[in-house]
Amino acid sequence: MAILLLLSVSALTFGAMNVLGDPLFNILGPLAGDVNNPKSAALIEEVKVKYDLDKPLPVRYVKWLGDFVTGDMGVQFSTDGQPPVSGLIKERIPRTITLLIMAQLLAVMISIPWAAITAARAGKRSDKISTMNSFFLLAMPNFALAILLKYIFSLKLGWFPLTYKAIDPYFERLRQIFLAAVTIALPAAAVYQRLLRTDLITTLQQDFILMARAKGLSRSRVIFRHAIRPSMFSFITVVGLNTGGLIGGSIVVETVFRIPGIGSSLVESVLREDFPVVLAIVMLIALAFVIINVLVDILYSIIDPRVRR
Amino acid sequence: MAGTGKAHLRNSPDVLLSVNELVVEFPVARTGLKVNAVSGISFDVIKGETLGIVGESGCGKSTTGRAIMQLPAPTSGSIDFNGQELTTLSKDDMRDARTKIQMIFQDPISSLNPRRKVRDIVLEPLLVWKRGTQEERDILVNKILEDVGIDPQRAAESYPHQFSGGQCQRISIARSLVLDPQMIICDEPVSALDVSVQAQVINLLEDLKAKYGLTLIFIAHDLAVVKSISDRVLVMYLGKMCELASSDDLYARPSHPYTNILVDSIPEPDPEVIYAPTAVMGEPPSPINPPAGCRFNPRCPNVQDRCRVEEPEMREIAPAHFVACHNPLTY
Amino acid sequence: MSEETIIVSVSPDTEINAAIRKKIGWGFWLAISWVIFITLLAILAPYLHLKDPRGYFIDIDGSGRPPYGPSFEHWFGTDKDARDIFSRSLHGARISLIVGFSAITFGFIVGGTLGIIAGYFRGWLDKMISFTFIILLSFPSLVLAIMLTALLNRSLFTISMILGILSIAPVGRLARASTLQFSDREFVLAARQIGASDSRIILRELLPNVVIPMSALALLGMAVAIVAEGGLAFLGLSVSQGITWGSLIQIGSDSATTLEKAPWIAFFPILLLFLTVLSLNFAGDRLRSHLDVKESSL
Amino acid sequence: MNDSDPRTTTPLLEVSDLKTYFRTERGTVKAVDGVSFSLQRGQSLGIVGESGSGKTVLSRSIMGLLGRTNLFREGSIKFNGQELMGLSVKEMRSIWGQEMSMIFQDPMTSLNPVMKIGRQIAEPLMLHLGMNKSEARLTAEKLLTDVRIPEPQRRLNQYPHELSGGMRQRVMIAIALACGPTLLFADEPTTALDVTVQAEILQLINEQRVDRNMSLILVTHNIGVVAGNTDVIAVMYGGKIVEKAPTKTLFSSYKMPYTEALMRSIPKLRQASHTRLATIPGRPPDMVNPPLGCNFAPRCAYARPKCLVEEPELTVTENPEHVYACFYPVGSPEYHERKLELSQRSDLLSTGGQN
């Protein structure tokens, strides 16, 4: 199933790129339409052969797929003398992964205690205030939040550096990434909190919680031993699924904080109309996302004894 | 014991419904296994009779009721209704046949569309079949609503959630009556209701049966309720038949060990009746992998070697009293 | 932090349940009012005698150079080219709202139909449709949007369609799930046993039940689409002609100096975007919990 | 209080004028509205009522297991001579599990689905009795044997979903019995089970009650369930106890027309089939706006004008254990008079050709 999905996703992406877009035009620009000029025509032929554009689509797809799995993602169209796509990705991907892991950890670390506290006080004032807070966070588009945080913490308070420099010391770079990670993490934490809170409230209304209370267990034991675990299932699923949202967020946030990661290079290459790069990045993200979903499924069955067989 | 056979089928011109060797199986998702919900049931119902089907959860009694309506169609077996074989009907013919058999469900609230007004729900079948003029339809719907004890005025402006459970069940009954069916299959119609309301609905069904000349199949897990309303009772266990007899006979002389346990287990609302249920071992096995021989053998107090290998067939041990057991208790 | 705060259901008795039915509350109406207000302003923007959104209002007499801060003349201030932010924000609302509205409409029509069909007929049809949804969901939505904008021209129509495509899978999955849930309800069985046809059951029995709870999703989905459009515009990938909130924000934040010296350029459009998204989210959420509560009390 | 041992002189549980209201947006739900009764050590009390009668809320209110938001609770609950009303949750906790415990209706949802059964039983043992892990495990195994679960050792390592419904209910009983409580609440313990399983569970509860000299409060809607299993029965209607009597007395000489109607509306196996059942018209009262007088008056065939305006108090019959709340109880002259009228009217109706 997962493999079928991976193949469909990659074929679809490849197909869309090559059918909807015109690779020839992207390489040669206006020259591509200039078939009457023998000089251009020769160039077109040359490029077609060089990039396998003369072959039918399925053949190109199979060849491209073979290359892709072996790590060869082709060369960038637009700029001669640039490193191959794989080189670009290899350089940039660690930053994005750092950013995503940091953001995900922050979001989870914030959301669990937040949810536990609000669920235990559901309906009270502190819970209502927290609900309002999460509404505000959720209504703030990530680019706007990024600008706001950048304005406050980098420009006005100066706590975080304004730009990411690859030559900076590791800690300095991490600080820059940290602010970006917070930007992604805050709304994500709000999403997780709301979900976990709802599930916790549902769980707290179940008979087995009443049973646990009737045993005379303490409040914290009831919440942490009895209520949290059965409430975690959809939480885990959503944390997994939300990785897609975080990747989307990272595209925007990397642009705002000028972090040269995968996301910002996706935007750059789209603006440059550099197809191999766009294709490689989209594919990489989609594949990573599919794999994460599969992993979440497996994790889910490990945690819930009812699913385990 | 819980077994097959057709000795109890009657050969009468008045037979309205005759079910033969009905089998219903469901696949279990992803495993390739199947649930043997109903495994070879035969029974018949004559006009004007009330047949009760009783059994514990998972015995296939509701599945049987739905299989008659082809919702979903049974895996095999034949269902003869008024001379018409239901299992081979085309989709359109089946739609037509369904108007003559109607069904009432257990959950009165879930069986009414929450977003439609009550009167429209009752009117709907007439619109589907484009019966009568608008005026005729209005008269009929109002009459039936009054017959089941619902104020038509209120029904015209209210949604189901504005009625109590008992009233919703009355509305379901009204809906099943508007197409003037010959038979109504009642699937646990009172088990979701409070006792005081339960009695109202049972009495209503008895009255309507007489007034509209209906034939009823009454499915429930409560033996006392089934006995109260039925002429004959069929006891089911794990997709098979155990015993079939007139309801008074069945209670007075239960022959199948399972029927006996069932009768014994019911706590009578009377402290003078000493409550000492016969011990029964364990709980019903899974219908995915039913036991060989008589399906009741792992729990039967009188089990013998024969019961573990040979499946008993229904046989007449007294006039109109049938049992599927190798060594029945009475007679 | 006292002990008594663990809430435990007090719902053994149905009477109590019925009593907990909620009112939708004034917050919902406030939020809806804002959405209507901003929509009206956006529609009427060309007729409101606003300053020309493309005009340059360089203050020749004053000593300063643009950008000018908020003043009586320019309520929201101006950008570096001395263009009036207030007027531009209201004109920008037009594209944002049109895209949000048409995207979610498209998503609902396509996704909703597919979802209901999959949920009602089940079987291989369901498998195929569900697989399509899974494929669509295999792309993080912004990535899919970026890929498609890269391939297509960036007109108002295509951007709306692209965001509409993104909403197909989430809408469709919800429609499928609630169709599945409702087709198990006995009233659907009851409709089949009175002999109603499939199309009648879908239209008369299922559709009202599926669509009403989903109306809450429409509000939430519109918010998502508006944010997504904002994100694309911010990245320079949205509608190539015209002003949108996202592009205004981008102009205000393209360099650290602009952001530091003239934060209003970015902040006023952010505020409008924020309030609109907040209202849509809030109204949608209220509506959802309102409908859910009613549902559960049935 | 200190000079005499309350354990011998006072009943185990004494509830007086207990009120439990919930504030909702629709108004105040008077779920339990002034209930008083007492329960002796080792005695079993059945509380019978239809849905909405307040029987479940009553048992949870006595135990103090209701959440405190939007809750109003008043009256007195004396347990072993100690006043429970006003105790903090922390103080209640030492009573829960140890002195009082509860079995719930649905064994499916009352066990933690992601915790092994052994741990769920061991938990109160370790908490209240200070046992260590291995002691608790041994005791848990013994408890499972007590509730007649085969292969107890293997069961300890299983999750609830791996057991059948009846087995789960046995596990619940084991948990409730773990710390040797003196009072056991059983809230519809067999409603979710099949009849054959129900019989076993009821037997088990009763057996354990006698063995451990516990008191039992059995809450149910099924009169049959309490008939053979309790010493005393209290009938609840509209948040109040309307009649309470020793089991045999209640069945032989009920006084409340509601009790009568309830008994006669149940189909009984011993009756011939198609026996016409008695019905109670209408539906239970709305507990936000209960009727002015007797709660049952609007549905009562014997109600007179007084019943609609004045609320009857609990009255003692010649048997001091038998109380009821009715102005015109079964057997009173007014009751007979109305009964005669009713039978004449139904005769008229049937001869008049009306349906």
Side-chain angles (χ1 to χ4, degrees), chain D residues 257-283:
Chain D
Y258 173 66
T259 315
E260 178 188 44
L262 201 59
M263 300 256 186
R264 293 183 41 199
S265 63
I266 306 168
K268 288 167 203 71
L269 272 177
R270 288 176 305 145
Q271 284 167 349
S273 65
H274 302 297
T275 304
R276 190 83 181 166
L277 298 169
T279 60
I280 310 176
R283 54 201 277 197

PDB file of all heavy atoms in Angstrom, chain D residues 257-283:
ATOM      1  N   PRO D 257     -49.361   3.992  44.105  1.00  0.00           N
ATOM      2  CA  PRO D 257     -49.907   3.638  42.790  1.00  0.00           C
ATOM      3  C   PRO D 257     -48.811   3.507  41.727  1.00  0.00           C
ATOM      4  O   PRO D 257     -48.948   2.717  40.796  1.00  0.00           O
ATOM      5  CB  PRO D 257     -50.844   4.807  42.472  1.00  0.00           C
ATOM      6  CG  PRO D 257     -51.227   5.352  43.799  1.00  0.00           C
ATOM      7  CD  PRO D 257     -50.043   5.144  44.696  1.00  0.00           C
ATOM      8  N   TYR D 258     -47.722   4.281  41.883  1.00  0.00           N
ATOM      9  CA  TYR D 258     -46.641   4.158  40.899  1.00  0.00           C
ATOM     10  C   TYR D 258     -46.026   2.761  40.949  1.00  0.00           C
ATOM     11  O   TYR D 258     -45.805   2.134  39.925  1.00  0.00           O
ATOM     12  CB  TYR D 258     -45.563   5.224  41.143  1.00  0.00           C
ATOM     13  CG  TYR D 258     -44.348   5.034  40.246  1.00  0.00           C
ATOM     14  CD1 TYR D 258     -44.462   5.196  38.863  1.00  0.00           C
ATOM     15  CD2 TYR D 258     -43.111   4.678  40.766  1.00  0.00           C
ATOM     16  CE1 TYR D 258     -43.375   5.005  38.030  1.00  0.00           C
ATOM     17  CE2 TYR D 258     -42.022   4.482  39.936  1.00  0.00           C
ATOM     18  CZ  TYR D 258     -42.161   4.653  38.569  1.00  0.00           C
ATOM     19  OH  TYR D 258     -41.079   4.459  37.757  1.00  0.00           O
ATOM     20  N   THR D 259     -45.760   2.284  42.180  1.00  0.00           N
ATOM     21  CA  THR D 259     -45.193   0.947  42.315  1.00  0.00           C
ATOM     22  C   THR D 259     -46.136  -0.085  41.696  1.00  0.00           C
ATOM     23  O   THR D 259     -45.705  -0.986  40.969  1.00  0.00           O
ATOM     24  CB  THR D 259     -44.976   0.618  43.799  1.00  0.00           C
ATOM     25  OG1 THR D 259     -44.380   1.735  44.434  1.00  0.00           O
ATOM     26  CG2 THR D 259     -44.082  -0.583  43.961  1.00  0.00           C
ATOM     27  N   GLU D 260     -47.399   0.104  41.957  1.00  0.00           N
ATOM     28  CA  GLU D 260     -48.378  -0.825  41.399  1.00  0.00           C
ATOM     29  C   GLU D 260     -48.325  -0.823  39.873  1.00  0.00           C
ATOM     30  O   GLU D 260     -48.211  -1.879  39.225  1.00  0.00           O
ATOM     31  CB  GLU D 260     -49.790  -0.438  41.849  1.00  0.00           C
ATOM     32  CG  GLU D 260     -50.853  -1.335  41.271  1.00  0.00           C
ATOM     33  CD  GLU D 260     -52.274  -0.845  41.559  1.00  0.00           C
ATOM     34  OE1 GLU D 260     -52.522   0.371  41.418  1.00  0.00           O
ATOM     35  OE2 GLU D 260     -53.109  -1.673  41.934  1.00  0.00           O
ATOM     36  N   ALA D 261     -48.332   0.400  39.313  1.00  0.00           N
ATOM     37  CA  ALA D 261     -48.339   0.506  37.859  1.00  0.00           C
ATOM     38  C   ALA D 261     -47.071  -0.106  37.265  1.00  0.00           C
ATOM     39  O   ALA D 261     -47.107  -0.797  36.250  1.00  0.00           O
ATOM     40  CB  ALA D 261     -48.451   1.978  37.463  1.00  0.00           C
ATOM     41  N   LEU D 262     -45.956   0.136  37.942  1.00  0.00           N
ATOM     42  CA  LEU D 262     -44.678  -0.385  37.467  1.00  0.00           C
ATOM     43  C   LEU D 262     -44.708  -1.912  37.434  1.00  0.00           C
ATOM     44  O   LEU D 262     -44.359  -2.547  36.445  1.00  0.00           O
ATOM     45  CB  LEU D 262     -43.580   0.103  38.418  1.00  0.00           C
ATOM     46  CG  LEU D 262     -42.156   0.124  37.907  1.00  0.00           C
ATOM     47  CD1 LEU D 262     -42.070   1.010  36.678  1.00  0.00           C
ATOM     48  CD2 LEU D 262     -41.228   0.660  38.985  1.00  0.00           C
ATOM     49  N   MET D 263     -45.167  -2.490  38.538  1.00  0.00           N
ATOM     50  CA  MET D 263     -45.205  -3.949  38.635  1.00  0.00           C
ATOM     51  C   MET D 263     -46.112  -4.534  37.562  1.00  0.00           C
ATOM     52  O   MET D 263     -45.809  -5.567  36.982  1.00  0.00           O
ATOM     53  CB  MET D 263     -45.783  -4.367  39.988  1.00  0.00           C
ATOM     54  CG  MET D 263     -44.971  -3.849  41.143  1.00  0.00           C
ATOM     55  SD  MET D 263     -44.013  -5.177  41.799  1.00  0.00           S
ATOM     56  CE  MET D 263     -43.305  -4.407  43.227  1.00  0.00           C
ATOM     57  N   ARG D 264     -47.225  -3.847  37.321  1.00  0.00           N
ATOM     58  CA  ARG D 264     -48.195  -4.444  36.411  1.00  0.00           C
ATOM     59  C   ARG D 264     -47.859  -4.200  34.955  1.00  0.00           C
ATOM     60  O   ARG D 264     -48.461  -4.798  34.062  1.00  0.00           O
ATOM     61  CB  ARG D 264     -49.586  -3.933  36.749  1.00  0.00           C
ATOM     62  CG  ARG D 264     -50.003  -4.461  38.127  1.00  0.00           C
ATOM     63  CD  ARG D 264     -51.385  -4.082  38.528  1.00  0.00           C
ATOM     64  NE  ARG D 264     -52.334  -4.186  37.430  1.00  0.00           N
ATOM     65  CZ  ARG D 264     -53.497  -3.568  37.431  1.00  0.00           C
ATOM     66  NH1 ARG D 264     -53.853  -2.830  38.446  1.00  0.00           N
ATOM     67  NH2 ARG D 264     -54.311  -3.713  36.416  1.00  0.00           N
ATOM     68  N   SER D 265     -46.908  -3.315  34.706  1.00  0.00           N
ATOM     69  CA  SER D 265     -46.578  -3.065  33.303  1.00  0.00           C
ATOM     70  C   SER D 265     -45.484  -4.006  32.803  1.00  0.00           C
ATOM     71  O   SER D 265     -45.176  -4.021  31.625  1.00  0.00           O
ATOM     72  CB  SER D 265     -46.137  -1.609  33.114  1.00  0.00           C
ATOM     73  OG  SER D 265     -44.959  -1.360  33.835  1.00  0.00           O
ATOM     74  N   ILE D 266     -44.886  -4.788  33.696  1.00  0.00           N
ATOM     75  CA  ILE D 266     -43.817  -5.688  33.267  1.00  0.00           C
ATOM     76  C   ILE D 266     -44.418  -7.002  32.776  1.00  0.00           C
ATOM     77  O   ILE D 266     -45.193  -7.632  33.487  1.00  0.00           O
ATOM     78  CB  ILE D 266     -42.868  -5.997  34.436  1.00  0.00           C
ATOM     79  CG1 ILE D 266     -42.373  -4.704  35.046  1.00  0.00           C
ATOM     80  CG2 ILE D 266     -41.712  -6.861  33.986  1.00  0.00           C
ATOM     81  CD1 ILE D 266     -41.675  -4.916  36.354  1.00  0.00           C
ATOM     82  N   PRO D 267     -44.041  -7.411  31.573  1.00  0.00           N
ATOM     83  CA  PRO D 267     -44.523  -8.714  31.122  1.00  0.00           C
ATOM     84  C   PRO D 267     -43.879  -9.809  31.977  1.00  0.00           C
ATOM     85  O   PRO D 267     -42.682  -9.763  32.245  1.00  0.00           O
ATOM     86  CB  PRO D 267     -44.038  -8.808  29.667  1.00  0.00           C
ATOM     87  CG  PRO D 267     -43.206  -7.624  29.414  1.00  0.00           C
ATOM     88  CD  PRO D 267     -43.176  -6.764  30.612  1.00  0.00           C
ATOM     89  N   LYS D 268     -44.690 -10.758  32.414  1.00  0.00           N
ATOM     90  CA  LYS D 268     -44.140 -11.814  33.264  1.00  0.00           C
ATOM     91  C   LYS D 268     -44.242 -13.149  32.551  1.00  0.00           C
ATOM     92  O   LYS D 268     -45.191 -13.418  31.820  1.00  0.00           O
ATOM     93  CB  LYS D 268     -44.885 -11.871  34.589  1.00  0.00           C
ATOM     94  CG  LYS D 268     -44.538 -10.696  35.456  1.00  0.00           C
ATOM     95  CD  LYS D 268     -45.485 -10.544  36.625  1.00  0.00           C
ATOM     96  CE  LYS D 268     -45.498  -9.118  37.135  1.00  0.00           C
ATOM     97  NZ  LYS D 268     -46.164  -8.165  36.204  1.00  0.00           N
ATOM     98  N   LEU D 269     -43.245 -13.983  32.803  1.00  0.00           N
ATOM     99  CA  LEU D 269     -43.213 -15.271  32.136  1.00  0.00           C
ATOM    100  C   LEU D 269     -44.405 -16.140  32.515  1.00  0.00           C
ATOM    101  O   LEU D 269     -44.883 -16.935  31.731  1.00  0.00           O
ATOM    102  CB  LEU D 269     -41.922 -16.007  32.507  1.00  0.00           C
ATOM    103  CG  LEU D 269     -40.713 -15.714  31.628  1.00  0.00           C
ATOM    104  CD1 LEU D 269     -39.520 -16.454  32.158  1.00  0.00           C
ATOM    105  CD2 LEU D 269     -41.006 -16.125  30.194  1.00  0.00           C
ATOM    106  N   ARG D 270     -44.864 -15.973  33.761  1.00  0.00           N
ATOM    107  CA  ARG D 270     -45.920 -16.874  34.224  1.00  0.00           C
ATOM    108  C   ARG D 270     -47.280 -16.518  33.670  1.00  0.00           C
ATOM    109  O   ARG D 270     -48.215 -17.308  33.750  1.00  0.00           O
ATOM    110  CB  ARG D 270     -45.936 -16.904  35.746  1.00  0.00           C
ATOM    111  CG  ARG D 270     -44.744 -17.663  36.329  1.00  0.00           C
ATOM    112  CD  ARG D 270     -44.744 -17.587  37.810  1.00  0.00           C
ATOM    113  NE  ARG D 270     -44.784 -16.193  38.236  1.00  0.00           N
ATOM    114  CZ  ARG D 270     -45.418 -15.761  39.311  1.00  0.00           C
ATOM    115  NH1 ARG D 270     -46.079 -16.612  40.054  1.00  0.00           N
ATOM    116  NH2 ARG D 270     -45.385 -14.494  39.634  1.00  0.00           N
ATOM    117  N   GLN D 271     -47.378 -15.293  33.139  1.00  0.00           N
ATOM    118  CA  GLN D 271     -48.667 -14.927  32.547  1.00  0.00           C
ATOM    119  C   GLN D 271     -48.812 -15.576  31.183  1.00  0.00           C
ATOM    120  O   GLN D 271     -47.810 -15.780  30.482  1.00  0.00           O
ATOM    121  CB  GLN D 271     -48.752 -13.412  32.376  1.00  0.00           C
ATOM    122  CG  GLN D 271     -49.005 -12.670  33.670  1.00  0.00           C
ATOM    123  CD  GLN D 271     -48.769 -11.182  33.498  1.00  0.00           C
ATOM    124  OE1 GLN D 271     -48.229 -10.750  32.494  1.00  0.00           O
ATOM    125  NE2 GLN D 271     -49.155 -10.417  34.504  1.00  0.00           N
ATOM    126  N   ALA D 272     -50.043 -15.872  30.816  1.00  0.00           N
ATOM    127  CA  ALA D 272     -50.269 -16.407  29.475  1.00  0.00           C
ATOM    128  C   ALA D 272     -49.884 -15.340  28.462  1.00  0.00           C
ATOM    129  O   ALA D 272     -49.931 -14.149  28.758  1.00  0.00           O
ATOM    130  CB  ALA D 272     -51.736 -16.778  29.316  1.00  0.00           C
ATOM    131  N   SER D 273     -49.518 -15.774  27.277  1.00  0.00           N
ATOM    132  CA  SER D 273     -49.144 -14.765  26.297  1.00  0.00           C
ATOM    133  C   SER D 273     -50.394 -13.995  25.890  1.00  0.00           C
ATOM    134  O   SER D 273     -51.513 -14.459  26.049  1.00  0.00           O
ATOM    135  CB  SER D 273     -48.468 -15.408  25.094  1.00  0.00           C
ATOM    136  OG  SER D 273     -49.369 -16.237  24.432  1.00  0.00           O
ATOM    137  N   HIS D 274     -50.160 -12.805  25.346  1.00  0.00           N
ATOM    138  CA  HIS D 274     -51.207 -11.852  24.981  1.00  0.00           C
ATOM    139  C   HIS D 274     -51.993 -11.358  26.190  1.00  0.00           C
ATOM    140  O   HIS D 274     -53.085 -10.822  26.030  1.00  0.00           O
ATOM    141  CB  HIS D 274     -52.165 -12.444  23.940  1.00  0.00           C
ATOM    142  CG  HIS D 274     -51.462 -12.871  22.687  1.00  0.00           C
ATOM    143  ND1 HIS D 274     -50.804 -11.996  21.871  1.00  0.00           N
ATOM    144  CD2 HIS D 274     -51.301 -14.097  22.140  1.00  0.00           C
ATOM    145  CE1 HIS D 274     -50.269 -12.666  20.862  1.00  0.00           C
ATOM    146  NE2 HIS D 274     -50.550 -13.941  20.999  1.00  0.00           N
ATOM    147  N   THR D 275     -51.449 -11.518  27.390  1.00  0.00           N
ATOM    148  CA  THR D 275     -52.081 -10.881  28.540  1.00  0.00           C
ATOM    149  C   THR D 275     -51.898  -9.378  28.396  1.00  0.00           C
ATOM    150  O   THR D 275     -50.799  -8.908  28.143  1.00  0.00           O
ATOM    151  CB  THR D 275     -51.406 -11.328  29.846  1.00  0.00           C
ATOM    152  OG1 THR D 275     -51.447 -12.745  29.903  1.00  0.00           O
ATOM    153  CG2 THR D 275     -52.102 -10.746  31.056  1.00  0.00           C
ATOM    154  N   ARG D 276     -53.004  -8.646  28.521  1.00  0.00           N
ATOM    155  CA  ARG D 276     -52.935  -7.204  28.371  1.00  0.00           C
ATOM    156  C   ARG D 276     -52.084  -6.590  29.490  1.00  0.00           C
ATOM    157  O   ARG D 276     -52.313  -6.865  30.672  1.00  0.00           O
ATOM    158  CB  ARG D 276     -54.351  -6.630  28.430  1.00  0.00           C
ATOM    159  CG  ARG D 276     -54.463  -5.195  28.055  1.00  0.00           C
ATOM    160  CD  ARG D 276     -54.533  -5.063  26.559  1.00  0.00           C
ATOM    161  NE  ARG D 276     -54.617  -3.671  26.153  1.00  0.00           N
ATOM    162  CZ  ARG D 276     -54.419  -3.280  24.916  1.00  0.00           C
ATOM    163  NH1 ARG D 276     -54.114  -4.165  23.977  1.00  0.00           N
ATOM    164  NH2 ARG D 276     -54.528  -2.012  24.584  1.00  0.00           N
ATOM    165  N   LEU D 277     -51.104  -5.796  29.124  1.00  0.00           N
ATOM    166  CA  LEU D 277     -50.251  -5.185  30.144  1.00  0.00           C
ATOM    167  C   LEU D 277     -50.847  -3.873  30.606  1.00  0.00           C
ATOM    168  O   LEU D 277     -51.471  -3.158  29.813  1.00  0.00           O
ATOM    169  CB  LEU D 277     -48.860  -4.910  29.564  1.00  0.00           C
ATOM    170  CG  LEU D 277     -48.086  -6.141  29.098  1.00  0.00           C
ATOM    171  CD1 LEU D 277     -46.864  -5.710  28.306  1.00  0.00           C
ATOM    172  CD2 LEU D 277     -47.662  -6.977  30.285  1.00  0.00           C
ATOM    173  N   ALA D 278     -50.663  -3.575  31.867  1.00  0.00           N
ATOM    174  CA  ALA D 278     -51.081  -2.264  32.358  1.00  0.00           C
ATOM    175  C   ALA D 278     -50.068  -1.246  31.871  1.00  0.00           C
ATOM    176  O   ALA D 278     -48.883  -1.544  31.773  1.00  0.00           O
ATOM    177  CB  ALA D 278     -51.114  -2.271  33.875  1.00  0.00           C
ATOM    178  N   THR D 279     -50.534  -0.058  31.551  1.00  0.00           N
ATOM    179  CA  THR D 279     -49.571   0.951  31.100  1.00  0.00           C
ATOM    180  C   THR D 279     -49.672   2.176  31.976  1.00  0.00           C
ATOM    181  O   THR D 279     -50.675   2.399  32.651  1.00  0.00           O
ATOM    182  CB  THR D 279     -49.848   1.386  29.652  1.00  0.00           C
ATOM    183  OG1 THR D 279     -51.165   1.928  29.598  1.00  0.00           O
ATOM    184  CG2 THR D 279     -49.729   0.220  28.704  1.00  0.00           C
ATOM    185  N   ILE D 280     -48.604   2.953  31.969  1.00  0.00           N
ATOM    186  CA  ILE D 280     -48.633   4.247  32.644  1.00  0.00           C
ATOM    187  C   ILE D 280     -48.638   5.287  31.537  1.00  0.00           C
ATOM    188  O   ILE D 280     -47.725   5.316  30.723  1.00  0.00           O
ATOM    189  CB  ILE D 280     -47.391   4.445  33.529  1.00  0.00           C
ATOM    190  CG1 ILE D 280     -47.202   3.222  34.434  1.00  0.00           C
ATOM    191  CG2 ILE D 280     -47.513   5.716  34.339  1.00  0.00           C
ATOM    192  CD1 ILE D 280     -45.947   3.292  35.280  1.00  0.00           C
ATOM    193  N   PRO D 281     -49.663   6.104  31.445  1.00  0.00           N
ATOM    194  CA  PRO D 281     -49.675   7.086  30.358  1.00  0.00           C
ATOM    195  C   PRO D 281     -48.614   8.153  30.582  1.00  0.00           C
ATOM    196  O   PRO D 281     -48.084   8.305  31.687  1.00  0.00           O
ATOM    197  CB  PRO D 281     -51.088   7.680  30.458  1.00  0.00           C
ATOM    198  CG  PRO D 281     -51.474   7.491  31.884  1.00  0.00           C
ATOM    199  CD  PRO D 281     -50.809   6.232  32.339  1.00  0.00           C
ATOM    200  N   GLY D 282     -48.297   8.870  29.501  1.00  0.00           N
ATOM    201  CA  GLY D 282     -47.386   9.995  29.644  1.00  0.00           C
ATOM    202  C   GLY D 282     -45.949   9.569  29.828  1.00  0.00           C
ATOM    203  O   GLY D 282     -45.577   8.442  29.556  1.00  0.00           O
ATOM    204  N   ARG D 283     -45.139  10.505  30.297  1.00  0.00           N
ATOM    205  CA  ARG D 283     -43.716  10.250  30.448  1.00  0.00           C
ATOM    206  C   ARG D 283     -43.231  10.814  31.774  1.00  0.00           C
ATOM    207  O   ARG D 283     -43.907  11.643  32.382  1.00  0.00           O
ATOM    208  CB  ARG D 283     -42.947  10.851  29.282  1.00  0.00           C
ATOM    209  CG  ARG D 283     -43.243  12.325  29.067  1.00  0.00           C
ATOM    210  CD  ARG D 283     -42.894  12.754  27.661  1.00  0.00           C
ATOM    211  NE  ARG D 283     -41.477  13.064  27.561  1.00  0.00           N
ATOM    212  CZ  ARG D 283     -40.953  13.778  26.559  1.00  0.00           C
ATOM    213  NH1 ARG D 283     -41.730  14.236  25.602  1.00  0.00           N
ATOM    214  NH2 ARG D 283     -39.675  14.017  26.517  1.00  0.00           N
TER     215      ARG D 283
END
